[in-house]
Amino acid sequence: MNNALPCEKLLIGVSGSIHCSQIGGYLAQIRREFAVSIRVIMTRTACDMVNPKTVELHTDSPVIADIWGTPQSKSPHITATRWADLFVVLPASANILGKAAHGIADDVLSTAILASRGPIAFAPAMNPSMWESAAVQRNLQTLKEDGHYIIPPQEITSVTTGDYDSGLGPTPESLMPHLWHVLMKHTKDVYWEEATRTLPMTPAERARQNLPLLAIADKQQASA
Amino acid sequence: MSDRKNDSNYVPSRFLSLSHDEDGSLILYCARTGAVGVVADGDVDAARSALLPGTVTEGPLGGILADLEQGGFLVSEGVDESALAHEDYIQRYTDKSLELIVMPTEQCNFRCVYCYEAFLRGEMAQDIRDGVKRYVESQSGLEQLTLSWFGGEPLLAGDVVAEITEYCQSYAERTGAAFLCAATTNGYELTPEYAERILPLGLTNFQISLDGVEHDHDERRVGANGEKTFARIVENLRYLHESDHDFEVAIRHNFDPGNLPRVSEFYEMLKSEFGGDDRFVTELQPIGRWGGQNDADLSVCEGRPMLRSLIEAKKLALDAGFRDAHGIDMLRPSGATCYAANPRSFVIGSDGKVYKCTVELDYHDRNIVGQLHGDGTMDLDWRKMALWTETNGMDAGKKCVTCYFSPTCHGAICPKEWMDEDEAECPKSKHTIGDTLKLIRAESLFVKPAGVP
């Protein structure tokens, strides 16, 4: 097994899609496979749908549900977004997508989205008729053009209608590869310049330039 | 399920390639699905019309058009094919496969003129062998385990190879995982005795280089003490050929301007030795300046002449009765993606260092991505891992984003080249797609050529 999970600090924004009733399943899988430390921001509607105390069972700190934060975490829209290696909005309701696309900051989650410096992964989840609406599709396009990442919803069973349909959010399993991709791509982008500043040199190339071998100490093992 | 818009209209895939064969038929390739299809002469006009860019065909489809839809050559209007290809590709982060490329020793009994390795470390110690086995054992729900032996010359550490191969085969049998074991070996130590020992343990796929006819080979693939190597390798291969074992040997021919004129003679020799034995396949690789001590003295094939030579040599190999080891595989979805770009692929050095790329090895710190410990745990530096698994080719504005071939390589034919150069070369099979499709078609109609034993 690998000794470390890839994401040190993950910030999750939970918005008021009924899909948030399944947030516990996501958090369990994310903790097991992906993120060492998790903080959660919840909108007021999300708090009506899921008790934040339940969510806190999976996290290392209290749920952030207020723009004023807590005595330990003031101005969370700034501190939490600076803290995070990756910010994912899960689930992303039509409302939060619209706010994010238009720069509206009228609650703690939408303000955090606006304050975030890095790309955000949005996992939309809503009724199919909303998902297919021109307004939502337009907002998704805007978010992509702004450099954000949209996690495609799957065809799953609707919480509200019981129908099997599209637009209803990713499953925990279908979410994970997207989280990996967004994190690793961002990590690569940040590290790229440093990692490619110098060219690799084979031992023969180093010898031609009278440079010592990188692994010279290991020679002893070879001759042992 | 809700109604989809435009379900009854079809448009050409954006990942298409069309090529005409000598008999007038049309060979089609869709890089997203990996489908290769041949449209017979009578249907060519209908197919070509439907596949013209910008054409919209109303459904329901029938006849050849239905076949085109089935292969992914026609797609429903409105389908985001790029999103589908991306969705397929990112599954590699969580899929249930594991590839370990293990260097049981970095020592080698050859000193090939183009080699870039330094032979610094010796045989893998027991604690690292145990670490490899424990690492495999710690995987849960593994569906595919691939163990590839590399070096140095791996069979110089034949006991290590046998010990770990046997363990992995037993793991796969216990867990139900599929198991593929391969070795990149010079073939010198693949003696009849060792073959009889290792084949039953599961090591059944070999890549062995013969760089031409005897004197060409012996000039390039020289023994560590200057000895000739061709005769013994061929002797070992003859034993395999005469055996009833189930195996595959890919005979790799590294070519340069010096041995190229005798490539026909070389394949005639292979035909007389191994022709008609479908356990032997061929592959070709132009010799390059890979950072070895003789780089300045090497004469290499490059550019379009190299590609032309490659296709001509592949035709000769096919005429001699040998399948291309990688032909159609390189055209499959993700088929031309480098193993180093796979997050579930690790190169394990003989000292337990974990690398991504077998060419870069420890020649740059960014390729040393971790350490395997004796207890089976692996420390990984995710920052370095990200460099290899998320190459620049698919970044906005880069050449791969709009390329029809991108579902095969996803801009990751060679992550190292993206780091070292302004951009990486495209896969050779893309440059030669017309000829490659013809060769694949010819291979699909393959019959034993005249004159093989």
Side-chain angles (χ1 to χ4, degrees):
Chain A
M1 62 179 289
N2 301 332
N3 277 337
L5 298 174
C7 184
E8 198 68 33
K9 294 171 282 188
L10 177 67
L11 177 62
I12 300 178
V14 182
S15 68
S17 155
I18 193 58
H19 198 68
C20 75
S21 61
Q22 299 173 35
I23 192 68
Y26 289 98
L27 288 169
Q29 184 144 358
I30 288 169
R31 266 177 82 187
R32 191 171 61 240
E33 298 176 12
F34 186 72
V36 179
S37 184
I38 302 171
R39 289 189 192 173
V40 173
I41 296 174
M42 292 176 74
T43 64
R44 197 179 57 196
T45 315
C47 289
D48 288 341
M49 294 174 170
V50 182
N51 190 328
K53 292 189 187 315
T54 312
V55 173
E56 286 167 4
L57 292 172
H58 298 278
T59 64
D60 308 303
S61 53
V63 163
I64 301 162
D66 186 286
I67 191 72
W68 297 104
T70 62
Q72 296 76 32
S73 177
K74 295 173 184 173
S75 302
H77 60 296
I78 302 297
T79 52
T81 52
R82 298 293 180 275
W83 167 85
D85 295 323
L86 177 64
F87 185 5
V88 55
V89 180
L90 168 74
S93 64
N95 185 44
I96 201 72
L97 292 173
K99 288 186 192 180
H102 291 89
I104 295 169
D106 64 354
D107 63 10
V108 63
L109 179 55
S110 57
T111 309
I113 289 169
L114 196 61
S116 178
R117 286 174 167 163
I120 301 168
F122 290 89
M126 63 199 73
N127 183 275
S129 56
M130 298 164 73
W131 170 250
E132 290 171 1
S133 72
V136 166
Q137 292 300 316
R138 206 164 45 237
N139 290 336
L140 291 169
Q141 189 57 35
T142 301
L143 290 170
K144 284 185 202 169
E145 287 166 6
D146 287 349
H148 298 303
Y149 185 88
I150 308 300
I151 298 169
Q154 303 292 303
E155 292 185 348
I156 54 176
T157 303
S158 165
V159 175
T160 46
T161 67
D163 292 339
Y164 188 75
D165 219 323
S166 62
L168 298 163
T171 63
E173 291 72 25
S174 70
L175 171 75
M176 298 311 296
H178 292 279
L179 293 187
W180 273 92
H181 167 64
V182 176
L183 175 72
M184 296 296 262
K185 172 142 186 1
H186 182 59
T187 305
K188 185 268 296 185
D189 288 343
V190 171
Y191 183 40
W192 186 262
E193 196 178 326
E194 181 189 334
T196 59
R197 202 172 291 146
T198 57
L199 286 170
M201 292 179 76
T202 64
E205 288 163 339
R206 296 186 76 81
R208 277 198 283 277
Q209 298 191 30
N210 294 318
L211 295 170
L213 287 176
L214 286 177
I216 199 159
D218 298 323
K219 269 190 161 175
Q220 291 170 338
Q221 191 198 338
S223 56
Chain B
M1 188 178 290
S2 63
D3 293 332
R4 296 285 185 280
K5 293 171 189 169
N6 303 319
D7 248 3
S8 57
N9 286 343
Y10 295 86
V11 295
S13 166
R14 58 156 294 219
F15 297 114
L16 269 190
S17 171
L18 282 68
S19 154
H20 284 278
D21 214 342
E22 278 80 12
D23 62 357
S25 56
L26 185 64
I27 312 179
L28 305 174
Y29 167 56
C30 175
R32 185 178 67 79
T33 61
V36 176
V38 178
V39 181
D41 202 6
D43 286 325
V44 165
D45 287 343
R48 204 167 34 201
S49 299
L51 295 174
L52 274 176
T55 305
V56 178
T57 304
E58 268 188 40
L61 303 176
I64 184 64
L65 299 182
D67 292 343
L68 294 181
E69 193 270 336
Q70 196 177 10
F73 306 109
L74 286 176
V75 295
S76 294
E77 192 175 28
V79 163
D80 185 346
E81 285 188 282
S82 297
L84 293 177
H86 174 70
E87 182 76 30
D88 278 350
Y89 187 50
I90 63 169
Q91 298 309 317
R92 69 212 164 107
Y93 277 114
T94 53
D95 76 9
K96 299 293 185 186
S97 69
L98 175 69
E99 178 180 33
L100 297 179
I101 301 169
V102 184
M103 304 167 77
T105 177
E106 295 180 31
Q107 298 299 297
C108 189
N109 51 347
F110 281 24
R111 290 294 180 271
C112 303
V113 293
Y114 42 75
C115 186
Y116 56 88
E117 290 198 40
F119 323 113
L120 292 175
R121 303 176 187 89
E123 188 167 297
M124 183 177 272
Q126 188 62 51
D127 71 317
I128 301 299
R129 300 183 211 180
D130 293 340
V132 173
K133 290 187 275 186
R134 287 173 179 142
Y135 184 74
V136 169
E137 198 63 48
S138 72
Q139 306 294 311
S140 62
L142 210 57
E143 292 170 2
Q144 170 73 48
L145 173 61
T146 303
L147 176 64
S148 298
W149 293 104
F150 193 75
E153 167 47 43
L155 300 192
L156 285 183
D159 289 342
V160 179
V161 171
E163 177 185 334
I164 295 177
T165 302
E166 183 174 27
Y167 188 89
C168 288
Q169 178 166 257
S170 128
Y171 167 87
E173 282 171 1
R174 271 188 285 119
T175 62
F179 180 53
L180 175 68
C181 186
T184 301
T185 168
N186 58 37
Y188 202 76
E189 295 299 329
L190 189 56
T191 58
E193 298 73 29
Y194 193 73
E196 288 301 331
R197 178 182 175 197
I198 201 67
L199 283 162
L201 298 182
L203 174 50
T204 54
N205 288 59
F206 304 91
Q207 183 205 80
I208 296 174
S209 289
L210 287 177
D211 284 0
V213 293
E214 186 161 7
H215 69 276
D216 281 332
H217 173 95
D218 284 337
E219 279 176 5
R220 288 161 183 77
R221 297 186 63 80
V222 186
N225 300 310
E227 68 272 32
K228 294 178 175 178
T229 61
F230 182 90
R232 176 159 160 174
I233 298 167
V234 171
E235 190 182 320
N236 288 341
L237 292 175
R238 275 186 200 129
Y239 180 80
L240 289 175
H241 173 51
E242 286 157 12
S243 79
D244 294 328
H245 288 296
D246 188 15
F247 63 84
E248 182 174 288
V249 171
I251 296 179
R252 170 164 154 157
H253 178 40
N254 300 294
F255 65 92
D256 60 26
N259 61 12
L260 208 49
R262 286 172 295 284
V263 69
S264 173
E265 192 184 333
F266 172 64
Y267 283 118
E268 280 304 311
M269 181 278 292
L270 286 188
K271 182 176 164 182
S272 68
E273 290 279 359
F274 313 116
D277 186 342
D278 63 7
R279 297 172 298 180
F280 287 81
V281 298
T282 54
E283 63 175 277
L284 284 135
Q285 180 70 34
I287 289 171
R289 296 188 184 95
W290 295 318
Q293 58 183 4
N294 302 315
D295 270 13
D297 303 325
L298 292 179
S299 173
V300 299
C301 300
E302 292 175 308
R304 293 219 68 83
M306 178 274 287
L307 293 171
R308 198 68 251 156
S309 303
L310 186 69
I311 288 296
E312 290 306 318
K314 282 187 176 186
K315 285 179 184 166
L316 290 171
L318 192 63
D319 289 344
F322 296 101
R323 288 181 294 118
D324 184 343
H326 303 298
I328 199 160
D329 291 342
M330 292 292 280
L331 300 186
R332 296 192 199 285
S334 303
T337 306
C338 177
Y339 59 85
N342 178 358
R344 301 280 295 153
S345 172
F346 304 102
V347 182
I348 312 292
S350 61
D351 58 356
K353 278 199 182 68
V354 181
Y355 310 105
K356 287 300 284 176
C357 170
T358 58
V359 176
E360 190 153 304
L361 293 176
D362 59 356
Y363 312 150
H364 196 300
D365 181 63
R366 68 192 180 201
N367 190 39
I368 307 170
V369 299
Q371 177 71 41
L372 178 69
H373 301 287
D375 64 2
T377 59
M378 188 186 283
D379 295 329
L380 283 176
D381 183 331
W382 293 107
R383 204 169 65 133
K384 293 178 180 174
M385 285 285 289
L387 285 177
W388 297 93
T389 61
E390 293 288 338
T391 51
N392 267 14
M394 295 300 282
D395 283 358
K398 291 286 166 62
K399 66 175 184 179
C400 308
V401 176
T402 53
C403 176
Y404 84 92
F405 206 72
S406 62
T408 69
C409 73
H410 301 275
I413 174 80
C414 181
K416 174 176 166 52
E417 214 172 314
W418 276 109
M419 290 185 230
D420 293 345
E421 313 284 344
D422 289 338
E423 58 182 33
E425 278 285 316
C426 293
K428 295 185 188 73
S429 42
K430 177 195 161 189
H431 285 306
T432 59
I433 187 68
D435 287 316
T436 298
L437 290 174
K438 288 178 197 168
L439 287 172
I440 286 170
R441 185 187 181 203
E443 202 172 271
S444 74
L445 305 170
F446 191 80
V447 288
K448 191 186 284 192
V452 299

